[in-house]
Amino acid sequence: MIRVVIAEDQGMLRSALGALLDLEEDITVIGQAENGKEALELIQQHQPDLCIVDIEMPIMSGLEVAEQLKAKKHPCRVVVLTTFARQGYFQRAVAAGVQGYLLKDRSSDELTNSLRNIMLGKREISPELIEIVWEEKNPLTSREQEILLLAEKGLTTNEIAGQLFLSSGTVRNYLSEVNSKMSTSNRLEAIKIARSKGWIIETP
């Protein structure tokens, strides 16, 4: 029996997915979470074989769940089920060691077959995502991503510097480097491009 935890912030979709999987004779849903933090708690409590996570969830994203499980060397397999076929998300998921990266428009039969294959040790990736492997990698460092996220919230250079314990000049240098890497002329343009490519991500 494949024991599954589902982490999805949309209640109706989470319930529908749980009901669908419970119809399978060899799959049972042992927990449902509306955010990544709850998912980790359920995983620690129930020790499932597999956790299905959405990417953008409150408190903690699905990618952060995968990264924490990898850091702890937890045996629970992680499957990302998302609407986002973004290069940055996909590359981060692969780096986090996820066993599956699937799009939500898959049929129920395709999904359940993928889960079974993952339990056999295979990696399942939606065909639409294969081309992403050949796209450019995220050029931003973790610090540059962090600064862009704060800038996206409307913080000024001085406010970003204060929050990160950096000098204002250092923050300006980081932003200048970001614009250079991305061939943009200002932070707003850089934020827009980074978001569209999935190079920056933060839970709501």
Side-chain angles (χ1 to χ4, degrees):
M1 183 68 71
I2 304 173
R3 302 167 71 249
V4 177
V5 163
I6 299 171
E8 164 65 58
D9 62 330
Q10 297 183 38
M12 289 183 64
L13 179 56
R14 184 174 65 249
S15 297
L17 180 58
L20 173 69
L21 294 179
D22 273 333
L23 292 175
E24 302 295 320
E25 294 182 356
D26 59 340
I27 300 175
T28 182
V29 176
I30 60 174
Q32 297 187 25
E34 63 181 3
N35 58 63
K37 182 176 181 292
E38 286 185 6
L40 281 178
E41 291 171 351
L42 287 173
I43 290 169
Q44 293 299 329
Q45 181 180 353
H46 298 295
Q47 300 295 313
D49 301 303
L50 188 150
C51 182
I52 300 174
V53 300
D54 189 15
I55 289 182
E56 295 187 351
M57 295 186 293
I59 304 177
M60 181 183 293
S61 73
L63 295 178
E64 290 173 309
V65 171
E67 289 165 348
Q68 289 207 22
L69 291 175
K70 181 181 180 181
K72 296 176 181 178
K73 297 182 179 179
H74 196 284
C76 178
R77 296 168 175 83
V78 178
V79 178
V80 171
L81 185 62
T82 182
T83 57
F84 300 110
R86 294 177 181 172
Q87 176 255 7
Y89 287 178
F90 178 67
Q91 290 185 341
R92 184 173 167 186
V94 171
V98 304
Q99 281 73 35
Y101 196 108
L102 310 174
L103 299 182
K104 288 180 178 177
D105 60 1
R106 293 197 117 192
S107 70
S108 58
D109 286 342
E110 288 176 323
L111 173 60
T112 52
N113 286 335
S114 290
L115 298 184
R116 294 183 182 103
N117 286 336
I118 288 167
M119 289 305 299
L120 292 174
K122 300 178 181 179
R123 177 171 284 181
E124 288 284 311
I125 300 172
S126 288
E128 300 91 334
L129 295 161
I130 299 301
E131 292 183 4
I132 292 178
V133 175
W134 303 102
E135 293 183 10
E136 59 186 321
K137 293 184 178 180
N138 187 349
L140 304 178
T141 65
S142 57
R143 177 63 86 182
E144 289 166 350
Q145 293 174 48
E146 188 176 21
I147 288 173
L148 271 189
L149 284 168
L150 292 175
E152 186 180 37
K153 292 180 178 179
L155 273 66
T156 65
T157 298
N158 289 337
E159 289 170 337
I160 295 172
Q163 187 158 329
L164 298 181
F165 303 102
L166 301 171
S167 69
S168 296
T170 298
V171 172
R172 282 193 291 270
N173 287 339
Y174 274 118
L175 289 171
S176 177
E177 181 65 18
V178 167
N179 285 324
S180 176
K181 287 180 177 180
M182 301 178 63
S183 300
T184 51
S185 58
N186 57 67
R187 67 179 67 183
L188 293 179
E189 187 179 350
I191 290 167
K192 181 178 180 180
I193 292 175
R195 270 292 176 192
S196 69
K197 292 180 176 291
W199 288 346
I200 55 175
I201 176 175
E202 184 180 45
T203 53

